Amino acid sequence: MFSKSIILVFEMDILQTPIEFLKGIGPNRANLLKEELNIFSFQDLLYFFPHRYIDRSKFYKINELPQNNSEVQLKGSIIRVKMINQKRGKRLIADFSDGTHQMELIWFRGHQWIKNNLKPNLEYVIFGRLNWYGGKPSIPHPEIETQENFKKGFSKSLQAVYPSTEKLLTKGISQRLISKMIEELLKSIKTPFFETLPLGVTDKYGFINKHEALINIHFPKNQEKLTAALNRLKYEELFFIQLQLLIKNIQHKQKIKGYVFEKVGIRFNTFFNKNLPFNLTNAQKKVIKEIRKDLGSGQQMNRLLQGDVGSGKTIVALMIMLIASDNGFQSCFMAPTEILAKQHFQSITDILDELKVSIALLTGSTKKTERKIIADKLESGTLDILIGTHAVIEDTVKFKNIGLAIIDEQHRFGVAQRAKLWRKNTLPPHVLVMTATPIPRTLAMSVYGDLDISVIDELPPGRKRIKTIHNYDSNRLKVFKFMSDEIKKGRQIYVVYPLIEESEKMDYKDLMDGYESIVRAFPQPKYQISIVHGKMKAKDKDYEMDRFIKKQTQIMVATTVIEVGVNVPNASTMIIESAERFGLSQLHQLRGRVGRGNDQSFCVLISSQKLSSDAKTRLETMTTTTDGFEIAEVDLKLRGPGDLMGTKQSGVLQLKIADIIKDNQWLKIARNDANELLRLDSKLESPENMPLRQTLAKMKAFKNIWNYIS
Ligand code: ADP
Ligand code: MG
């Protein structure tokens, strides 16, 4: 045991060596590595993993090259070299022959060096991407080395390709050089790399050991070894993330006691029997049950409530808040926008009707005098429910006894705010985070492994599937006709324009132009039109929104401020302009604003004719499905999980080697294993779990996952 720890310390020391101390790397190269690739130490270089591999065992003949842009490798010699002067600059062309035919190798930069080093009559191995022009193949900027050197290479078959940048390439840091540096690094570390997984785990899956995995990830001996290395390292990465999250969850449950809401009292019961205007769906019932169990457990609840748009999360939130007040506790309900907060306040006030619950609305635009009244009521405990925006977590807001905090549409809040909210009290309230972002369950678990999860997986009955149509903007007149037909039936319509921060000015112009053309097509007084956008004062937004809610206007022209949560059941049509500029989850959110009543609803996506292939996929997905989970899967595939639910800051998903979607199977397995391991040894005290404890300790010290798994 002792000897192992000593090896670990020793290895750590070497790996922490600054990168400039590696043979062959001077200060210039070191700076480039730091700036471009974040490689500061030996350790960083060792864990700088290839993003793909190419097969260097296969050689093509020029007369049988594939007629596409694939990467090929050839053997042959240079016949002649010529420099060509063009308007756009010089280029160097080498005629290359392999006996079957000839082709050109082309360099647009770095000619001098190439020219001086290319020798006729020497046998070369060249590698690069084919380019076909006028039926003739060429290779721009091939990798080139003598056959003699090629044969000496560390690995001849599978060659790692590392992520690189334009700057590195022009400064001469080639793939070959990166490989060389790693080779040098491996040579200079003489002890085997420390094993980080317990024997039980490596045995169970027949994993190769850490040392072998690290060598083969950079210099795979063959395909089997590479697969083995990838599997092991992917598993390891996912396993440690899961382990960390589960430990956090366990510690959280042990440490943080919560208020016990033991009874369901008069308010909840009266509401349930008299006020509730519909039957709850089974999914709503199930979720309320899960939450009630948490609230009675004596531990603080930390739960994520997932439910597609329109699945009825608000009523669940309200009923839980009634339980809180039945038990003598205050609640707060936080929404991401003023419009939404106000709407929650109104609909909740309406539905509570004569039930004796004191509720207030607090937003950025609440007047000073009103604020004072709310503050007094909060502190004296006469206010039961506070609904609002970020304003509810300002330092000046003091509850007498907050027992429950509900956050609506979590993805609009950073993780930081979540923490802030419950740091506010000396005793933490129960926390329920609600989101309509339907992320796959396993993914949710790895993002929010420290939260429990409930899902409303059923829409209220009677909802009709929203019909979604894609139209090019040349078809706008047809869309106008459709709008007027819907209005004739007494329905209301949203027309939404994109708002993207970088081009706010242009977006604003688009919106105003669009608004004007709609006003022309739907003239007053027959038609009334509301407009809401980010540049308006909150007061004016509310006024316009109000008119729409009260059916005084038939059309609501808006930017994405209405994206989240707005509920006007009579609105049957959502028109989305420049739909190709929206992300999938945004489109899904927007569409979720209609289809809230019992009438057939529509969503019309309007785009230009020119569409990128991603944009095509997005629009096609929208017209073929309304299932939020399906849409989320496509979205993840298109965008990657990078900026899911405010996780960008948290770094949880910045994986180096595993892919949270493609390696979903491994993720599940790793989570189960981590769970089982902690069940048997929750503090990881047993000797065989020693490497885990040490690794976890290092995890705390470093931000990046792989910085500690060494
Ligand atoms: P979201 O989950 O998107 O926040 P809401 O809570 O705004 O959804 O609910 C959408 C609409 O469905 C509201 O008009 C709400 O009154 C209604 N609703 C919620 N639950 C039910 C139910 N069980 N039966 C019928 N309508 C419901
Ligand atoms: Mg909602």
Side-chain angles (χ1 to χ4, degrees):
M1 186 100 97
F2 269 116
S3 65
K4 265 196 180 167
S5 324
I6 288 165
I7 290 175
L8 176 67
V9 169
F10 173 62
E11 184 187 295
M12 278 293 287
D13 283 345
I14 284 199
L15 287 178
Q16 293 318 313
T17 314
I19 195 68
E20 49 265 49
F21 291 98
L22 190 67
K23 209 173 121 195
I25 300 183
N28 286 341
R29 280 180 178 170
N31 279 338
L32 278 170
L33 291 177
K34 287 175 196 172
E35 278 163 24
E36 296 294 298
L37 300 174
N38 269 324
I39 295 176
F40 289 85
S41 62
F42 284 16
Q43 164 112 347
D44 296 338
L45 182 62
L46 182 63
Y47 288 93
F48 181 60
F49 293 142
H51 62 158
R52 62 190 182 100
Y53 298 84
I54 47 189
D55 185 353
R56 300 290 304 251
S57 63
K58 190 176 163 90
F59 287 92
Y60 280 90
K61 293 283 178 216
I62 298 181
N63 66 355
E64 52 196 36
L65 285 173
Q67 302 264 338
N68 55 30
N69 297 99
S70 52
E71 287 178 318
V72 295
Q73 178 168 261
L74 301 142
K75 254 188 273 197
S77 54
I78 307 287
I79 301 172
R80 86 183 74 79
V81 177
K82 58 193 175 220
M83 190 70 95
I84 291 188
N85 272 311
Q86 275 182 314
K87 259 179 270 155
R88 274 183 286 145
K90 286 183 189 173
R91 59 182 171 156
L92 181 77
I93 293 184
D95 286 331
F96 175 79
S97 163
D98 69 349
T100 70
H101 223 291
Q102 278 190 23
M103 69 185 290
E104 292 183 340
L105 311 177
I106 306 172
W107 286 267
F108 299 96
R109 42 172 202 271
H111 329 101
Q112 210 49 50
W113 189 88
I114 298 284
K115 201 174 171 192
N116 295 341
N117 284 279
L118 282 186
K119 303 239 158 34
N121 303 326
L122 256 184
E123 286 288 303
Y124 284 105
V125 172
I126 63 157
F127 180 86
R129 196 171 285 286
L130 275 176
N131 193 20
W132 288 88
Y133 186 76
K136 285 188 185 158
S138 65
I139 299 182
H141 289 256
E143 281 181 34
I144 181 158
E145 60 187 319
T146 59
Q147 271 211 48
E148 206 185 332
N149 277 343
F150 180 79
K151 281 187 192 136
K152 276 192 275 183
F154 199 110
S155 153
K156 277 174 226 85
S157 54
L158 285 163
Q159 185 177 304
V161 181
Y162 295 89
S164 188
T165 66
E166 189 64 29
K167 191 165 174 192
L168 286 177
L169 286 177
T170 51
K171 299 269 176 181
I173 304 222
S174 64
Q175 291 292 332
R176 178 112 190 108
L177 188 64
I178 294 177
S179 275
K180 273 222 169 97
M181 295 190 289
I182 293 171
E183 197 181 330
E184 189 57 46
L185 175 71
L186 291 176
K187 258 196 256 162
S188 66
I189 297 172
K190 294 191 181 64
T191 48
F193 294 112
F194 183 67
E195 181 53 59
T196 36
L197 289 176
L199 208 60
V201 172
T202 44
D203 279 357
K204 185 168 164 192
Y205 301 107
F207 281 146
I208 55 176
N209 66 38
K210 182 66 177 273
H211 186 77
E212 221 187 332
L214 280 174
I215 297 213
N216 275 283
I217 203 73
H218 292 294
F219 302 104
K221 284 217 176 63
N222 50 42
Q223 187 60 53
E224 287 76 61
K225 278 280 187 286
L226 174 60
T227 309
L230 280 169
N231 280 342
R232 191 218 133 105
L233 293 173
K234 281 177 180 180
Y235 175 91
E236 177 166 353
E237 183 171 47
L238 296 167
F239 175 80
F240 275 102
I241 293 171
Q242 292 306 321
L243 195 62
Q244 201 184 27
L245 287 168
L246 288 168
I247 288 172
K248 219 160 110 192
N249 198 333
I250 290 173
Q251 285 171 344
H252 187 84
K253 288 215 167 118
Q254 281 169 345
K255 270 206 300 253
I256 303 182
K257 295 267 167 274
Y259 301 116
V260 180
F261 295 181
E262 54 198 342
K263 62 177 182 212
V264 166
I266 185 151
R267 287 166 164 174
F268 182 93
N269 283 326
T270 312
F271 179 83
F272 188 79
N273 294 322
K274 298 224 172 98
N275 299 50
L276 195 62
F278 38 68
N279 293 325
L280 294 175
T281 62
N282 285 332
Q284 284 169 319
K285 283 185 205 158
K286 175 196 73 187
V287 160
I288 291 176
K289 218 176 182 178
E290 284 167 357
I291 295 171
R292 273 188 53 194
K293 201 167 157 217
D294 284 359
L295 299 177
S297 73
Q299 286 160 356
Q300 187 216 9
M301 172 174 77
N302 245 311
R303 191 169 278 278
L304 177 71
L305 174 57
Q306 262 190 290
D308 210 344
V309 279
S311 62
K313 295 185 290 293
T314 319
I315 203 82
V316 171
L318 174 59
M319 292 176 75
I320 305 298
M321 292 195 287
L322 292 177
I323 295 178
S325 84
D326 273 341
N327 285 274
F329 288 96
Q330 296 172 302
S331 318
C332 100
F333 187 11
M334 193 159 118
T337 65
E338 242 185 280
I339 290 181
L340 195 52
K342 196 171 169 211
Q343 198 183 315
H344 280 326
F345 177 73
Q346 266 168 0
S347 65
I348 287 176
T349 312
D350 287 351
I351 202 174
L352 285 176
D353 198 26
E354 296 188 341
L355 201 69
K356 285 204 169 47
V357 180
S358 153
I359 109 173
L361 174 71
L362 180 67
T363 70
S365 52
T366 306
K367 295 262 156 48
K368 233 182 173 175
T369 45
E370 178 70 19
R371 257 170 210 266
K372 179 80 180 72
I373 297 169
I374 292 174
D376 288 347
K377 282 189 183 171
L378 273 179
E379 287 198 57
S380 66
T382 48
L383 190 71
D384 300 305
I385 295 176
L386 181 65
I387 299 177
T389 53
H390 284 72
V392 303
I393 53 169
E394 274 162 22
D395 293 337
T396 48
V397 180
K398 291 195 187 80
F399 291 83
K400 179 169 181 242
N401 60 346
I402 182 169
L404 171 68
I406 299 182
I407 307 175
D408 195 15
E409 308 297 352
Q410 143 75 10
H411 60 291
R412 282 300 179 91
F413 296 103
V415 177
Q417 273 116 337
R418 211 173 84 208
K420 187 170 173 192
L421 190 71
W422 68 262
R423 235 188 284 124
K424 184 175 173 53
N425 258 28
T426 40
L427 284 170
H430 297 293
V431 176
L432 183 68
V433 174
M434 306 203 297
T435 178
T437 309
I439 56 174
R441 196 182 176 83
T442 43
L443 188 51
M445 285 191 307
S446 26
V447 182
Y448 288 125
D450 55 333
L451 295 187
D452 296 307
I453 298 173
S454 291
V455 185
I456 306 184
D457 50 8
E458 179 188 4
L459 292 180
R463 296 274 169 84
K464 292 199 181 66
R465 186 189 154 108
I466 303 165
K467 284 199 179 131
T468 305
I469 309 133
H470 172 209
N471 261 308
Y472 292 116
D473 38 19
S474 47
N475 254 344
R476 185 162 280 111
L477 285 181
K478 213 173 100 191
V479 177
F480 281 169
K481 168 80 172 64
F482 177 78
M483 288 167 68
S484 78
D485 288 350
E486 279 299 295
I487 294 172
K488 257 182 224 148
K489 290 189 222 153
R491 303 280 105 81
Q492 289 163 286
I493 294 171
Y494 296 102
V495 183
V496 174
Y497 288 81
L499 183 84
I500 294 164
E501 273 156 39
E502 301 95 70
S503 58
E504 215 176 299
K505 256 198 194 130
M506 260 178 62
D507 286 336
Y508 183 66
K509 190 175 174 299
D510 286 353
L511 172 78
M512 288 331 259
D513 290 352
Y515 175 67
E516 271 163 30
S517 75
I518 288 168
V519 170
R520 254 179 275 127
F522 298 90
Q524 281 186 330
K526 188 172 173 200
Y527 299 99
Q528 297 292 328
I529 302 173
S530 292
I531 180 164
V532 172
H533 59 78
K535 290 195 174 170
M536 289 163 68
K537 292 212 181 78
K539 197 179 78 203
D540 300 332
K541 279 190 219 168
D542 286 350
Y543 172 77
E544 292 285 312
M545 201 63 221
D546 251 17
R547 293 208 301 152
F548 191 66
I549 292 168
K550 290 183 182 140
K551 298 193 196 171
Q552 290 165 0
T553 63
Q554 296 92 24
I555 302 175
M556 158 68 76
V557 177
T559 50
T560 38
V561 285
I562 64 151
E563 179 186 335
V564 178
V566 175
N567 187 32
V568 182
N570 188 52
S572 67
T573 302
M574 167 63 65
I575 313 249
I576 305 177
E577 290 278 354
S578 302
E580 73 272 29
R581 290 175 58 194
F582 290 91
L584 256 182
S585 72
Q586 240 182 338
L587 290 172
H588 180 62
Q589 280 286 334
L590 283 170
R591 179 168 61 184
R593 296 310 108 217
V594 298
R596 305 193 145 234
N598 289 331
D599 302 300
Q600 178 61 54
S601 291
F602 303 91
C603 174
V604 184
L605 306 168
I606 300 184
S607 79
S608 70
Q609 307 259 3
K610 266 195 207 154
L611 293 176
S612 71
S613 82
D614 274 12
K616 253 183 221 149
T617 309
R618 288 198 296 270
L619 299 181
E620 253 170 52
T621 307
M622 287 299 291
T623 53
T624 48
T625 180
T626 50
D627 180 334
F629 280 87
E630 214 174 294
I631 290 172
E633 299 268 356
V634 178
D635 196 30
L636 282 168
K637 274 182 201 137
L638 290 178
R639 288 188 317 151
D643 47 359
L644 201 81
M645 295 171 82
T647 51
K648 223 173 198 164
Q649 316 93 300
S650 78
V652 174
L653 289 175
Q654 281 162 22
L655 302 180
K656 269 196 165 229
I657 193 156
D659 179 319
I660 206 121
I661 299 151
K662 289 193 200 122
D663 300 319
N664 200 268
Q665 256 348 78
W666 276 126
L667 175 63
K668 281 182 202 162
I669 291 171
R671 184 170 176 93
N672 283 343
D673 288 350
N675 231 332
E676 182 62 15
L677 205 116
L678 289 171
R679 195 179 62 76
L680 296 172
D681 181 13
S682 68
K683 297 201 168 114
L684 302 178
E685 283 165 332
S686 76
E688 69 265 23
N689 287 333
M690 180 77 165
L692 295 179
R693 255 177 61 208
Q694 288 175 324
T695 307
L696 285 169
K698 276 183 273 166
M699 278 168 86
K700 283 201 172 143
F702 297 98
K703 269 206 201 99
N704 187 306
I705 298 276
W706 283 101
N707 279 345
Y708 50 78
I709 311 182
S710 67

